[in-house]
Amino acid sequence: MTEHAIPYYWSSVDWPRFVEDYPPPPAFTGAMASLSDEGLRELQDQRFRERVREAWNVPFYNDRWRAAGLEPGDVRGLDDIAKIPTFTSGDLKQSIEDEPPFGSHQNFALKAMASPLKIQSSGGTSGLPRPTLFDPVAWEAQAVQFARAFHAQGGRVGDILQITLTNSLANTAWCSSTAAMNWCGMVPLTTGSGVVTPSKRQLELAREWGTAGWVAFGEYLKILAETAVREGVDLQKDLRTKFVHTYLGVDVEGHLRKLLSDAWGCKVFDNYGTHEVGLVGFECRSHDGLHVNDDTAVLEIADRGTGDVVGAGEPGNLVVTSLHRSVPPIIRYDLKDLMRVSAREACGCGLRTTKLSGFLGRSDEMVKLRATSVYPRSAQDVIQGDARTTGEFLCIVETVGQGLASRERMRVQIETRGGQESAIRADMVKKLHTAFGVAVDVEIVPSGSLASRTGLGGEGKVKRLLDLR
Ligand SMILES: [Zn+2]
């Protein structure tokens, strides 16, 4: 590597300009409320044109866009966004394979070292995790996104925020602690997951140090609640929890939310993001959809079959264009997450943004069973709504039979608390048939037996699909 001058963090960003561009709380509320729809469109358009201009210099985009028949100048603004081909995580993976170590979409940044850089990564279900580079703007803008969420969810200056995710390869814990300390005056307490700080100790720290907010996955909040019962800690009387910032997954009927808010005696807030685009959406105290960080991302919803952009309120794959990211640029990333986006409107909390539905499922986990599209995560609602189960489950897809007689089968393993096995199985067969639109087999398994395969209690998202085909 050639010798570079040290790119100091402190001098790498024009900070006054940064906070004007991406206002942290509480200024964000007023900034969004006072911006007209045309004003927002203009702001997004200007940032979009800037990102497209940069992306033409990045081989990943230059190659793909030219292959799609585009020339620089063909995309003049947001009105032309549909001309740009979308890409998926598979394309990023390919880019990394073709041009290691970080791919043709981001190797340029490491070569230049024009600014400080950091590496985070995806969960990595098979093989190496997918790395993403961050420069200071990408790093701090995603922290501002999180700070806006914490503020909208009731986090205030001096509140202790207990972060039960580990500052490691995954991004969420880093975003949360950077957001709390740099952008909203909260005091981060990074306990890490239960693997790093045992659940019993997590509760002791919260009780003694006065934790006001938690950042945790829904599954871990359940484990903490169960630990509290076992250890004689009263979550509602012994702790001073004001809010829980979490990721509910597919919770259309609100079973998991209710379970958690009943156990914790506080408001539970759903959020949505990925390590490449940051926290795209967050819930406020009105609990009426997720507020979109409109100044940092343009969201489109694409039809799962044709890829065509669908209208407001229609479900489909979420396609995100990041408006703040230059390292690497993220332009029309099809995340394969099923969501809905609704039009911008004023909310009871004072914000005025477009809104995102909760998570509806993952397209790349879709399984075709007898010509029906089945989304394994949509079982969550049914299973977690039944108190006889622990809420934990795993969908296993496999091929049975040989040759022409072979067919695909899905078995759903469900953990129960013991007893009533055949009654629970019969109920679940019926309810899952309705949820999936096709019959599946149900297997009752003992409490705690799925954790090693779902990754419950570890880092990253819990797995719900095991594909044995
Ligand atoms: Zn709101």
Side-chain angles (χ1 to χ4, degrees):
M1 190 181 282
T2 47
E3 191 78 16
H4 294 286
I6 296 174
Y8 293 108
Y9 200 86
W10 68 270
S11 59
S12 64
V13 174
D14 177 350
W15 295 109
R17 168 132 192 235
F18 175 85
V19 294
E20 207 172 292
D21 284 349
Y22 305 104
F28 176 60
T29 310
M32 277 293 120
S34 63
L35 201 56
S36 65
D37 291 351
E38 298 72 39
L40 174 63
R41 178 82 178 174
E42 214 168 284
L43 178 84
Q44 290 182 323
D45 193 56
Q46 175 226 323
R47 289 181 186 169
F48 174 73
R49 278 184 276 124
E50 184 71 8
R51 300 291 88 83
V52 167
R53 189 183 59 73
E54 291 163 354
W56 274 112
N57 296 319
V58 175
F60 175 80
Y61 288 103
N62 194 303
D63 294 350
R64 294 179 63 82
W65 294 358
R66 282 187 195 279
L70 290 173
E71 293 287 334
D74 285 351
V75 178
R76 285 174 311 236
L78 273 177
D79 288 343
D80 296 328
I81 193 169
K83 290 182 183 171
I84 298 178
T86 60
F87 68 91
T88 65
S89 62
D91 295 313
L92 294 181
K93 210 173 145 203
Q94 190 62 49
S95 161
I96 289 163
E97 260 172 44
D98 294 347
E99 255 193 62
F102 301 121
S104 65
H105 57 293
Q106 53 185 2
N107 275 342
F108 70 94
L110 200 70
K111 266 183 219 144
M113 276 313 294
S115 64
L117 293 175
K118 188 169 189 326
I119 306 167
Q120 298 297 137
S121 82
S122 65
T125 42
S126 57
L128 277 184
R130 190 175 67 252
T132 302
L133 296 179
F134 288 78
D135 69 358
V137 168
W139 192 249
E140 300 294 343
Q142 73 174 6
V144 168
Q145 294 171 324
F146 271 77
R148 292 167 176 176
F150 296 149
H151 188 79
Q153 292 161 2
R156 289 297 176 266
V157 175
D159 281 346
I160 291 173
L161 184 70
Q162 187 157 342
I163 302 162
T164 67
L165 304 159
T166 307
N167 283 3
S168 61
L169 284 170
N171 206 14
T172 314
W174 290 100
C175 296
S176 302
S177 57
T178 312
M181 192 166 178
N182 295 9
W183 301 110
C184 64
M186 294 182 76
V187 184
L189 171 62
T190 50
T191 45
S193 71
V195 180
V196 180
T197 306
S199 300
K200 179 172 177 239
R201 177 53 52 87
Q202 300 253 7
L203 294 171
E204 288 166 355
L205 295 177
R207 186 178 60 202
E208 298 305 317
W209 295 353
T211 295
W214 292 81
V215 177
F217 286 124
E219 291 83 0
Y220 189 59
L221 290 163
K222 283 200 298 177
I223 292 178
L224 282 174
E226 279 162 18
T227 308
V229 172
R230 213 169 39 241
E231 300 294 332
V233 176
D234 187 327
L235 284 183
Q236 308 202 13
K237 290 205 185 106
D238 297 339
L239 305 191
R240 279 169 274 167
T241 313
K242 282 165 60 177
F243 72 96
V244 163
H245 171 106
T246 189
Y247 301 84
L248 290 174
V250 183
D251 192 44
V252 182
E253 302 284 329
H255 292 307
L256 179 58
R257 184 197 298 275
K258 182 165 186 314
L259 197 128
L260 295 177
S261 60
D262 285 352
W264 286 78
C266 69
K267 295 230 176 209
V268 169
F269 296 94
D270 193 16
N271 299 275
Y272 172 83
T274 79
H275 74 288
E276 287 104 344
V277 296
L279 195 75
V280 170
F282 60 84
E283 248 181 357
C284 68
R285 299 177 73 80
S286 301
H287 293 288
D288 180 24
L290 277 58
H291 281 292
V292 175
N293 276 302
D294 284 321
D295 57 339
T296 65
V298 168
L299 308 190
E300 301 169 276
I301 298 292
D303 183 272
R304 276 167 279 172
T306 62
D308 293 339
V309 173
V310 301
E314 297 286 318
N317 286 341
L318 181 66
V319 176
V320 180
T321 295
S322 169
L323 295 175
H324 64 274
R325 260 193 169 284
S326 305
V327 176
I330 299 290
I331 298 176
R332 296 204 90 204
Y333 185 9
D334 183 347
L335 290 160
K336 301 287 178 202
D337 282 341
L338 290 181
M339 320 269 298
R340 290 190 186 91
V341 175
S342 55
R344 188 169 182 245
E345 57 178 50
C347 177
C349 73
L351 277 169
R352 190 174 143 78
T353 69
T354 50
K355 281 197 176 165
L356 194 59
S357 67
F359 188 50
L360 305 172
R362 275 201 58 80
S363 278
D364 59 4
E365 285 181 348
M366 187 195 79
V367 178
K368 272 271 195 228
L369 288 177
R370 302 185 280 294
T372 304
S373 303
V374 173
Y375 297 90
R377 280 178 201 273
S378 59
Q380 179 187 307
D381 233 6
V382 167
I383 294 165
Q384 295 187 338
D386 190 324
R388 296 171 300 179
T389 77
T390 68
E392 288 307 306
F393 68 97
L394 182 68
C395 299
I396 301 169
V397 187
E398 58 207 340
T399 310
V400 290
Q402 294 287 325
L404 285 176
S406 76
R407 62 180 183 93
E408 275 165 7
R409 179 176 79 157
M410 187 153 97
R411 264 189 298 149
V412 184
Q413 294 187 326
I414 301 174
E415 282 187 9
T416 63
R417 298 181 188 280
Q420 300 180 57
E421 276 193 20
S422 53
I424 300 172
R425 186 185 305 110
D427 279 358
M428 285 295 150
V429 165
K430 214 182 294 169
K431 286 183 183 161
L432 289 175
H433 192 165
T434 309
F436 289 147
V438 63
V440 295
D441 297 331
V442 169
E443 237 176 84
I444 301 296
V445 298
S447 171
S449 62
L450 293 176
S452 61
R453 282 178 296 154
T454 59
L456 179 68
E459 293 292 310
K461 277 185 196 153
V462 172
K463 292 181 199 69
R464 296 299 184 196
L465 174 65
L466 181 64
D467 196 337
L468 300 177
R469 290 171 293 178

